[in-house]
């Protein structure tokens, strides 16, 4: 997992990083995870194999952009969140809870967190979608009350200081 150092972070921020690591490591088929603030900034990310040239060569993982694949996922999550929120407003159907895009070679899931932040998951094409969605819901349930403005600010600062 590519994550900022937990040194100096509050207990809440460390717990969120632990929950993110657990989601990636425990759910089969999950490739990467990003938590994005309501204004589109990356708060937490998981980018398996980042910085490991063997993983990049073996998996073909993208390393473009300021944070590699995690920045790409954060951009996608933010865009899908905006698009689906706009669609829900036009259709007068209420808040968007979850979005899932199934593609030939993978899936992207986006789930709203209570503070307006978004949890995004990029998963393998053969993942069990219901298991991924279940674990995302667990993360959202555990993280929603913790993502206070102070913790979001702390996480943003931590991501900015990550090499």
């Amino acid at each position: 997992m590519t994550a900022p150092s937990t040194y100096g972070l509050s207990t809440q921020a460390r717990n969120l990083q632990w929950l993110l690591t657990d989601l990636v490591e425990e759910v089969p088929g999950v490739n990467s995870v990003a938590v994005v603030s309501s204004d589109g900034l990356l708060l937490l990310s998981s980018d398996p194999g980042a910085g490991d040239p063997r993983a990049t060569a073996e998996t073909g993982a993208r390393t473009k952009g300021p944070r590699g694949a995690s920045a790409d996922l954060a951009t996608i999550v933010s865009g899908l969140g905006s698009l689906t929120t706009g669609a829900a407003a036009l259709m007068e159907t209420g808040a968007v809870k979850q979005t899932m895009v199934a593609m030939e070679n993978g899936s992207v899931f986006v789930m709203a967190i209570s503070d307006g932040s978004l949890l995004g998951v990029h998963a393998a094409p053969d993942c069990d979608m219901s298991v991924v969605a279940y674990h995302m819901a667990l993360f959202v349930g555990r993280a929603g009350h913790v993502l206070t403005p102070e913790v979001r600010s702390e996480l943003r600062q931590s991501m900015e200081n990550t090499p």
Side-chain angles (χ1 to χ4, degrees):
M1 172 172 157
T2 299
S5 169
T6 59
Y7 179 76
L9 293 181
S10 67
T11 301
Q12 294 87 352
R14 286 194 312 271
N15 286 343
L16 287 172
Q17 289 177 338
W18 177 84
L19 286 171
L20 188 82
T21 300
D22 192 51
L23 178 62
V24 173
E25 292 178 354
E26 299 297 322
V27 182
V30 170
N31 295 327
S32 59
V33 179
V35 175
V36 181
S37 66
S38 59
D39 55 358
L41 295 175
L42 182 62
L43 297 177
L44 286 170
S45 71
S46 143
D47 197 352
D52 181 353
R54 291 172 301 153
T56 302
E58 291 171 8
T59 64
R62 291 177 41 149
T63 56
K64 298 177 183 173
R67 298 271 183 250
S70 61
D72 291 344
L73 181 59
T75 300
I76 292 164
V77 167
S78 182
L80 283 172
S82 293
L83 178 65
T84 55
T85 298
L90 283 172
M91 292 187 268
E92 299 177 355
T93 56
V96 177
K97 295 180 181 180
Q98 182 177 3
T99 303
M100 196 272 295
V101 179
M103 297 163 282
E104 186 175 331
N105 294 314
S107 298
V108 175
F109 301 81
V110 179
M111 191 172 285
I113 300 176
S114 63
D115 71 329
S117 298
L118 300 168
L119 170 64
V121 172
H122 171 234
D126 59 347
C127 74
D128 185 333
M129 293 180 190
S130 62
V131 170
V132 173
Y134 172 76
H135 283 276
M136 287 178 72
L138 288 177
F139 180 95
V140 166
R142 293 173 180 155
H145 68 283
V146 176
L147 273 171
T148 63
E150 294 81 18
V151 172
R152 284 193 307 273
S153 177
E154 181 181 3
L155 291 170
R156 273 190 214 135
Q157 186 69 31
S158 176
M159 289 301 294
E160 290 171 6
N161 294 334
T162 301

